[in-house]
């Protein structure tokens, strides 16, 4: 009957190990996950290699999408540099016609195009692209960069 006492002793040891793991394992997982995400700079000085850390605030706020007028302005500024201001102004007018909600931003976009045209083409050449898009705001942007 010596054999009957060994299985119960093994079960008791297995239970103790299981309970210990049940208590310790979640703590270890949380700590290892936290340490994997963050790193503390103990030297106190700034280093050239920055470390990104996660915070509860960053996780809870959704990423902001860019406003349609900002996307359009950036696309047209790129188009102005790659092609010419006339093409960008034509596309601005088409976008405003297709999406009337952009009309209130037309003036600021056209001025930004005018300022960029002066920087890219010079004042006199930039003025030659002016047309009555958004109440001559492009010309206003060109004029603001000249003075």
């Amino acid at each position: 009957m010596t054999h009957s006492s060994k299985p119960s002793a093994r079960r008791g040891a297995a239970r103790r190990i299981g309970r210990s793991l049940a208590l310790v394992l979640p703590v270890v997982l949380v700590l290892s996950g936290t340490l994997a995400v963050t790193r503390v700079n103990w030297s106190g000085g700034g280093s050239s290699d920055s470390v990104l850390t996660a915070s509860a605030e960053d996780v809870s706020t959704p990423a902001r999408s860019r406003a349609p007028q900002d996307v359009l302005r950036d696309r047209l500024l790129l188009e102005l540099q790659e092609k010419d201001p006339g093409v960008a102004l034509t596309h601005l007018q088409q976008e405003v016609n297709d999406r009337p909600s952009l009309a209130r931003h037309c003036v600021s976009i056209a001025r930004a195009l005018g300022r960029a045209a002066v920087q890219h083409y010079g004042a006199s050449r930039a003025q030659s692209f002016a047309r009555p898009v958004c109440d001559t705001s492009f010309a206003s942007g060109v004029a603001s960069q000249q003075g």
Side-chain angles (χ1 to χ4, degrees):
M1 290 211 191
T2 58
H3 296 287
S4 64
S5 64
K6 282 188 177 182
S8 65
R10 287 182 190 160
R11 275 186 292 190
R15 281 190 184 146
R16 281 193 301 274
I17 291 171
R19 286 181 185 157
S20 297
L21 282 176
L23 293 173
V24 174
L25 192 59
V27 173
V28 170
L29 290 174
V30 168
L31 288 176
S32 65
T34 302
L35 293 175
V37 174
T38 62
R39 186 176 81 191
V40 177
N41 182 2
W42 295 105
S43 66
S47 64
S48 61
D49 57 333
S50 62
V51 177
L52 297 176
T53 59
S55 70
E57 291 177 18
D58 295 337
V59 174
S60 63
T61 57
R64 293 183 183 233
S65 61
R66 296 184 55 207
Q69 66 270 13
D70 295 335
V71 172
L72 175 62
R73 182 191 64 240
D74 292 347
R75 184 173 52 106
L76 293 175
L77 286 170
L78 182 64
E79 193 171 58
L80 179 140
Q81 292 177 358
E82 291 177 349
K83 296 177 183 172
D84 67 58
V87 173
L89 287 170
T90 299
H91 289 151
L92 173 60
Q93 188 64 57
Q94 289 171 347
E95 287 290 330
V96 170
N97 290 343
D98 292 344
R99 296 169 57 192
S101 63
L102 291 171
R104 66 180 190 204
H105 303 287
C106 186
V107 170
S108 65
I109 294 171
R111 281 191 186 137
L113 290 172
R115 290 189 295 268
V118 170
Q119 291 176 354
H120 195 262
Y121 295 98
S124 61
R125 182 143 185 245
Q127 188 62 43
S128 70
F129 291 103
R131 58 180 69 167
V133 176
C134 307
D135 299 325
T136 66
S137 296
F138 177 83
S140 173
V142 169
S144 71
Q145 284 297 104
Q146 290 178 358

